[in-house]
Amino acid sequence: MKKAGIVKSSIFVMVLIILGKVLALVRDALIAEQFGATAVTDIYNFALGVVYLLTTISYGITTTFIPVHTECREKNGERNALGFVSNVINVTTAATLLLTLLLIAFSGTIIDIFAPGFGSDTGVYSSSVLILRIMLASLVFINLQSVITGVLQVHKQFFEPSAMAAAANVVYILYLVFLARDYGIIGFGYATVAAFLVQLLINVPKYFKLGYGYRPVFNPKDEHLRTILQLMPPVVISTSLIQLNMFVNRSFATTVYSGAVTVLEFSNKINTLAYEVFAIGIAMIIYPTLSEHAARGKTGEYKAALVKGINTILLIMVPAAFAIAMLRMPLITVIFKRGAFDQASALATANALLFFCPAMIAYGVRDILNKAFYSMKDTRTPMFNSFAGIILNIILNFLLVKKMGVSGLTLATTLSSLVTTLLMLGSINRKLGGMRAASTLETFGKVLLSSTAMALAIYAVDRFCAAAFGAELLGSVLSLLISFAVGTAVYAAGLHLMKIEEFQWLAGALRKKLRKGEKPDEIL
């Protein structure tokens, strides 16, 4: 694929991903309006959390399927590769059906162990068991989706997989707008299964267009399938630890009060928005560079690229954390506060979000460090670090939840993520024999000062808008818009005065692009 084609494809994929995020915000706003922060939404969020935890298995299938299928095509030809795909579909679907039936049979036990707070109300308990059983049916579609999207990615077809989130959110939105009043949260459980089905179906036409079909092949002993099963455990473990951490938090939240799980979920969604849009992309971009330097033994270049990556994350995530903390009430008012989601729910979510904000900085740096370890073929350090983070998070949950409620759970997550990120920084520093920490500390200090100035400006704007236009929808929208403009200007001025290298490179690259379409200098 030519460079121009790659750029166009990347832009289109990014647009689809952003569209999915926007529709997700619309979906969450409608959920808040229809159901509020109540036991009903707690039940749904917990059941969906169980499904998300189990989707890490499908992620493991996709991740390991791609290199194995690629090798199979190259060594054995297309015909044998088609049979291999059908065999993977058949064997994994059979295993998923057995797992689904087993989980449905023991849904009550799952609720008893992992959502003890639901047991205090008979109606809540019975509804939670029913919704969990309904939503577990999604696992079959998720499994099929994992193999078919793997096939598409092998053929460098990314549009359909990138559109899955947007397609699913359209299903959610249609249900919430037209059917939620009549069929409630039980119907929403069925709508969730339908959304996962739609995610599968949008990939099917391209799957057949690529020449794939279906064959009644069932060989669990196939060598290529066995390779997938051998490669899967580390991937599944590493991925599931993140979901497991959230799962643990939801379990604690069920014991706080009715609606606590929803408050936790909504605060987490706002907190991770900037992280998902920016930090994950930066980590993805820097990974090949780190891998190339590691493979060639260029330690100096490797350290420089790693430091630049960390500094870039700090450049974005520190001000994002400050801005979200300052504007948490306007954000929650605009996105969630309507219908059943009242002032009390908004305040509870805002309080939880305040303690969540620093975590996004740790998440961003942690992702860069994970990529750094992976580039050196070290998968054990990130995995053990994740285990340590979960154990620390559980201990802190026990200590803080009784005194601080949901805010204690978010503070526990932030503290555990900060501690584990610092431990990883120490590990990578030892592994590399030093990694120019002075440069990162200097950048962090300058970014912190610029972000503080920005936060003070945003606070002044927010107070003015609240006094002049009120603290409801109009005042909140104006606060967000004006704060974005003023905050960006103040932060950019601070970075310029501080002469931060990454910012100067970005500003120079933009000037060259606008002036003559010149190619910017490399920063990594």
Side-chain angles (χ1 to χ4, degrees), residues 16 126 144 194 219 246 272 284 335 345 349 381 388 409 500 509 516:
L16 289 174
S126 59
L144 290 169
N219 182 14
M246 277 304 298
T272 56
M284 186 189 308
I335 299 172
S345 300
T349 306
T381 300
L409 298 178
I500 295 178
K516 296 180 180 178

Side-chain angles (χ1 to χ4, degrees), residues 352-363:
L353 179 56
L354 177 62
F355 292 100
F356 238 153
C357 287
M360 74 168 73
I361 303 170
Y363 291 163

Side-chain angles (χ1 to χ4, degrees), residues 43-54:
I43 292 168
Y44 175 80
N45 284 316
F46 178 82
L48 187 61
V50 174
V51 174
Y52 280 155
L53 180 61
L54 294 168

Side-chain angles (χ1 to χ4, degrees), residues 88-100:
V88 173
I89 288 175
N90 293 333
V91 174
T92 58
T93 300
T96 303
L97 281 169
L98 288 175
L99 176 63
T100 302

Side-chain angles (χ1 to χ4, degrees), residues 432-476:
L432 295 174
M435 51 170 282
R436 305 176 183 176
S439 171
T440 299
L441 288 173
E442 181 183 355
T443 299
F444 178 67
K446 292 178 178 179
V447 168
L448 195 61
L449 287 173
S450 299
S451 298
T452 302
M454 178 203 71
L456 292 173
I458 288 175
Y459 178 79
V461 169
D462 185 48
R463 291 300 87 202
F464 169 78
C465 290
F469 305 102
E472 295 304 318
L473 185 61
L474 176 61
S476 297

Side-chain angles (χ1 to χ4, degrees), residues 56-298:
T56 56
I57 299 174
S58 71
Y59 179 80
I61 293 173
T62 302
T63 303
T64 55
F65 170 84
I66 291 172
V68 174
H69 181 46
T70 301
E71 182 182 354
C72 184
R73 289 176 65 219
E74 292 179 355
K75 290 186 176 180
N76 303 326
E78 290 289 344
R79 185 174 180 81
N80 287 329
L82 296 178
F84 165 67
V85 171
S86 290
N87 188 49
V88 173
I89 288 175
N90 293 333
V91 174
T92 58
T93 300
T96 303
L97 281 169
L98 288 175
L99 176 63
T100 302
L101 292 172
L102 187 65
L103 291 170
I104 288 173
F106 288 95
S107 292
T109 305
I110 293 172
I111 298 297
D112 290 336
I113 296 173
F114 298 108
F118 291 166
S120 58
D121 187 304
T122 305
V124 171
Y125 178 80
S126 59
S127 295
S128 63
V129 172
L130 174 60
I131 291 176
L132 179 58
R133 285 174 174 166
I134 292 169
M135 291 174 63
L136 284 170
S138 305
L139 295 177
V140 177
F141 303 133
I142 292 168
N143 168 73
L144 290 169
Q145 170 200 121
S146 67
V147 180
I148 291 176
T149 55
V151 170
L152 266 59
Q153 290 178 55
V154 166
H155 290 271
K156 296 180 174 58
Q157 300 295 321
F158 303 108
F159 297 160
E160 289 81 1
S162 300
M164 290 195 302
N169 284 323
V170 169
V171 175
Y172 292 129
I173 291 169
L174 289 174
Y175 176 84
L176 290 165
V177 171
F178 297 108
L179 301 172
R181 294 184 186 279
D182 294 325
Y183 299 101
I185 202 71
I186 302 297
F188 198 35
Y190 285 109
T192 301
V193 178
F196 280 112
L197 173 60
V198 168
Q199 285 188 325
L200 165 65
L201 293 177
I202 65 171
N203 291 283
V204 171
K206 182 57 67 69
Y207 172 81
F208 283 110
K209 189 175 180 179
L210 290 170
Y212 290 85
Y214 175 77
R215 296 180 185 178
V217 183
F218 193 89
N219 182 14
K221 296 182 179 180
D222 176 74
E223 61 173 315
H224 296 297
L225 180 60
R226 290 167 69 94
T227 301
I228 289 177
L229 297 177
Q230 290 169 1
L231 293 172
M232 271 181 61
V235 176
V236 173
I237 290 171
S238 298
T239 309
S240 64
L241 289 175
I242 299 170
Q243 287 293 337
L244 185 60
N245 208 34
M246 277 304 298
F247 188 75
V248 167
N249 287 347
R250 292 187 194 101
S251 297
F252 274 94
T254 65
T255 66
V256 179
Y257 57 80
S258 179
V261 175
T262 303
V263 167
L264 179 69
E265 287 293 317
F266 283 172
S267 61
N268 181 61
K269 285 175 179 177
I270 294 177
N271 182 57
T272 56
L273 188 60
Y275 160 72
E276 290 175 348
V277 172
F278 297 109
I280 292 177
I282 293 170
M284 186 189 308
I285 291 168
I286 197 176
Y287 185 35
T289 302
L290 292 175
S291 298
E292 181 181 339
H293 291 326
R296 296 177 178 178
K298 295 183 176 180

